[in-house]
Amino acid sequence: MLALLVLAILVGGVLQRVSGMGFGLVAGPFIVLIVGPLEGVLFVNLAGATASTLILGRVVRDVEWRKFAWLTLSSLVVTVPAALALREVSAPALEVTIGAFVVAAMTLAVVTTRLRREGRHPVDAAAGWPLAVTGTASGIGSVAAGIGGPPVAVYAVLSGWDPKRFAATAQPFFAANALAAMVAKLVLSDASFPSMAPWQWVVLMVSILAGLVVGDRLAPRVSATATRRVLIVLAYVGGLATLVRGLTGLV
């Protein structure tokens, strides 16, 4: 189990550093499959917040704090209601929710990427309400599935957000979003962290750092197209596997 967790974390960390997102989207479904939905999502929140915080030190100069504020405040509004709702959800139903969310979010991201290629940006980048909607969707996704990135990525495409500033601004938002979701679930639901020995936790934290270091080295050498293809394939595989296991449990 530890080896599989390390592998998922390494891949997620690399993608997070190279593309600005991807830890929860790629590593999340596999972690859920390994340790279970409640413990897995909570761990994804912790690991994702750690990864984003570590990356922030490298990109803080490019953060757009106004957009960060809009996204964070709107996500915090839904954190507590979403955490309370989790108390009534069974483990298989939660797995179905996570898997379906990953597949739907990835499909939406793929579709909106085509709009970027066509140079179409239907969302006003100066307006506040699209950021509020994005933050709300991201907050719900972070609590339910440990995945808050896809709504932000979709907004970035639809508004024509500069990729460099998007990747930078996403880091403090993902960290704040994941930490809020983690605290809310620990206090308001039955969620708990996976039971592991202290040395195993150290190994997992080192794996996060190692993934970011590798991603830092690969970032200048790997094309955005190749990164996107790997992210899409892994996200679909993990999402569909989680969805199928959840449906099997319900049946």
Side-chain angles (χ1 to χ4, degrees):
M1 183 184 74
L2 182 63
L4 291 174
L5 282 173
V6 168
L7 179 61
I9 289 170
L10 285 173
V11 175
V14 170
L15 289 172
Q16 182 81 9
R17 177 63 188 92
V18 172
S19 65
M21 59 171 286
F23 188 94
L25 190 61
V26 172
F30 292 102
I31 292 174
V32 167
L33 286 172
I34 296 168
V35 301
L38 288 174
E39 295 87 351
V41 171
L42 198 62
F43 180 79
V44 171
N45 287 144
L46 174 62
T50 302
S52 293
T53 302
L54 291 173
I55 294 173
L56 179 59
R58 301 293 301 274
V59 299
V60 66
R61 293 182 179 179
D62 296 313
V63 174
E64 294 186 13
W65 294 107
R66 173 186 168 275
K67 290 186 176 180
F68 162 78
W70 270 103
L71 291 169
T72 302
L73 291 175
S74 56
S75 72
L76 292 178
V77 170
V78 298
T79 297
V80 171
L84 289 172
L86 281 182
R87 296 192 298 185
E88 309 299 327
V89 179
S90 66
L94 186 55
E95 286 184 328
V96 171
T97 301
I98 294 169
F101 186 87
V102 171
V103 172
M106 199 67 256
T107 301
L108 186 58
V110 171
V111 171
T112 51
T113 298
R114 296 183 179 180
L115 295 178
R116 170 177 285 174
R117 292 173 183 170
E118 297 172 3
R120 297 165 56 190
H121 305 301
V123 173
D124 182 4
W129 69 266
L131 286 165
V133 172
T134 300
T136 300
S138 183
I140 295 173
S142 186
V143 172
I147 302 167
V152 187
V154 170
Y155 168 83
V157 172
L158 296 180
S159 65
W161 199 351
D162 176 71
K164 184 177 181 180
R165 294 187 176 276
F166 154 68
T169 307
Q171 303 316 311
F173 169 63
F174 289 156
N177 194 18
L179 285 173
M182 182 177 67
V183 172
K185 285 183 288 188
L186 285 172
V187 174
L188 300 173
S189 71
D190 297 328
S192 61
F193 287 109
S195 178
M196 291 183 288
W199 70 269
Q200 292 176 314
W201 280 104
V202 172
V203 169
L204 294 178
M205 293 300 107
V206 171
S207 300
I208 296 174
L209 181 59
L212 298 179
V213 170
V214 173
D216 199 49
R217 297 290 182 87
L218 291 178
R221 302 186 178 117
V222 179
S223 68
T225 300
T227 301
R228 190 180 303 112
R229 287 174 180 171
V230 172
L231 191 152
I232 291 171
V233 171
L234 291 177
Y236 271 123
V237 170
L240 288 171
T242 305
L243 178 61
V244 169
R245 193 172 81 166
L247 290 173
T248 302
L250 289 176
V251 172

